[in-house]
Amino acid sequence: MRDLVYTGFMSLDGVVDSPGGGPGEEHRSGGWVFKDLEFVPEAWSLKGEELTDTTALMFGRRSYEAFAPVWPGSEDHAGYKELPKYVVSTTLSDDDLVDGWGPTTILRSTEDVAALKDGEGGAIFIHGSAELARRLSDAGLIDQYNLLVFPVLLGAGKSLFGRADRDKQMLTLRESESYSNGIMKMIYDVTC
């Protein structure tokens, strides 16, 4: 069985929308991850640590369309280049996939994701993809959350967690650390 890990940047009020800013990220506070805080290198160490654990990447369609033109040529993401990628979409076609960014498979449903998790292999990391993460969380498919929580309240934007009345999920804090610029690293295992 493979673990499905959500990794992301989150505001204190749960927003994961537009952390980097740029085209397609119309949130009025877009770019909030890189604005207003002192750069503290150790606050970003989680991203390097994740590279050793990542055996595949998963995206929703919109996040794939945002990352695919940039990440294949990015030195910061070179370790991800040849890893298998999975895009969960009912509308994306094979013709829409980017060449030269490792093998990419389109999954059409939550059931396809569950079947992938039941297979052999290591951890699959989800980057961005708030809507996909909410659907997979509601289906009980997320095993771990790797979060860098920023000391900012955005008030609007996509939330990582849904607001629907659902069964409670318990999390166990595996690791945490706070940094001098107010960012907190929190790694949670989903326990039930």
Side-chain angles (χ1 to χ4, degrees), residues 23-66:
E25 297 189 349
E26 284 75 31
H27 191 283
R28 72 177 173 164
S29 297
W32 53 270
V33 163
F34 303 108
K35 294 179 181 175
D36 304 322
L37 289 178
E38 172 191 356
F39 178 74
V40 177
E42 56 271 18
W44 301 94
S45 63
L46 175 62
K47 295 297 144 192
E49 295 163 11
E50 288 175 344
L51 276 172
T52 60
D53 295 333
T54 303
T55 63
L57 299 173
M58 183 175 287
F59 304 98
R61 179 189 54 83
R62 281 184 281 244
S63 290
Y64 176 79
E65 290 174 339

Side-chain angles (χ1 to χ4, degrees), residues 72-117:
S74 165
E75 287 184 32
D76 290 339
H77 302 96
Y80 293 143
K81 187 168 184 172
E82 297 305 321
L83 291 178
K85 287 144 196 101
Y86 299 95
V87 184
V88 182
S89 172
T90 58
T91 59
L92 202 66
S93 73
D94 287 334
D95 292 337
D96 297 320
L97 300 177
V98 171
D99 290 328
W101 197 30
T104 304
T105 304
I106 299 172
L107 304 176
R108 298 295 181 192
S109 67
T110 302
E111 291 78 17
D112 290 345
V113 175
L116 176 67
K117 273 188 50 116

Side-chain angles (χ1 to χ4, degrees), residues 4-190:
L4 194 54
V5 179
Y6 179 85
T7 179
F9 307 113
M10 187 171 75
S11 68
L12 189 59
D13 56 349
V15 174
V16 294
D17 191 28
S18 302
E25 297 189 349
E26 284 75 31
H27 191 283
R28 72 177 173 164
S29 297
W32 53 270
V33 163
F34 303 108
K35 294 179 181 175
D36 304 322
L37 289 178
E38 172 191 356
F39 178 74
V40 177
E42 56 271 18
W44 301 94
S45 63
L46 175 62
K47 295 297 144 192
E49 295 163 11
E50 288 175 344
L51 276 172
T52 60
D53 295 333
T54 303
T55 63
L57 299 173
M58 183 175 287
F59 304 98
R61 179 189 54 83
R62 281 184 281 244
S63 290
Y64 176 79
E65 290 174 339
F67 295 149
V70 179
W71 279 22
S74 165
E75 287 184 32
D76 290 339
H77 302 96
Y80 293 143
K81 187 168 184 172
E82 297 305 321
L83 291 178
K85 287 144 196 101
Y86 299 95
V87 184
V88 182
S89 172
T90 58
T91 59
L92 202 66
S93 73
D94 287 334
D95 292 337
D96 297 320
L97 300 177
V98 171
D99 290 328
W101 197 30
T104 304
T105 304
I106 299 172
L107 304 176
R108 298 295 181 192
S109 67
T110 302
E111 291 78 17
D112 290 345
V113 175
L116 176 67
K117 273 188 50 116
D118 283 340
E120 296 294 318
I124 304 166
F125 278 68
I126 302 170
H127 291 262
S129 309
E131 292 174 34
L132 173 64
R134 280 194 305 273
R135 280 198 331 261
L136 297 178
S137 176
D138 288 346
L141 295 174
I142 304 269
D143 299 293
Q144 182 177 316
Y145 292 96
N146 289 4
L147 303 173
L148 289 177
V149 180
F150 284 68
V152 60
L153 300 174
L154 298 173
K158 292 178 186 172
S159 175
L160 176 58
F161 304 107
R163 301 287 183 242
D165 188 7
R166 54 168 283 183
D167 290 339
K168 173 177 60 177
Q169 279 189 317
M170 296 300 296
L171 306 176
T172 300
L173 184 63
R174 176 189 292 195
E175 184 180 341
S176 67
E177 194 163 347
S178 61
Y179 304 100
S180 61
N181 61 359
I183 294 174
M184 292 196 63
K185 172 174 79 172
M186 298 189 307
I187 298 177
Y188 287 101
D189 292 322
V190 179

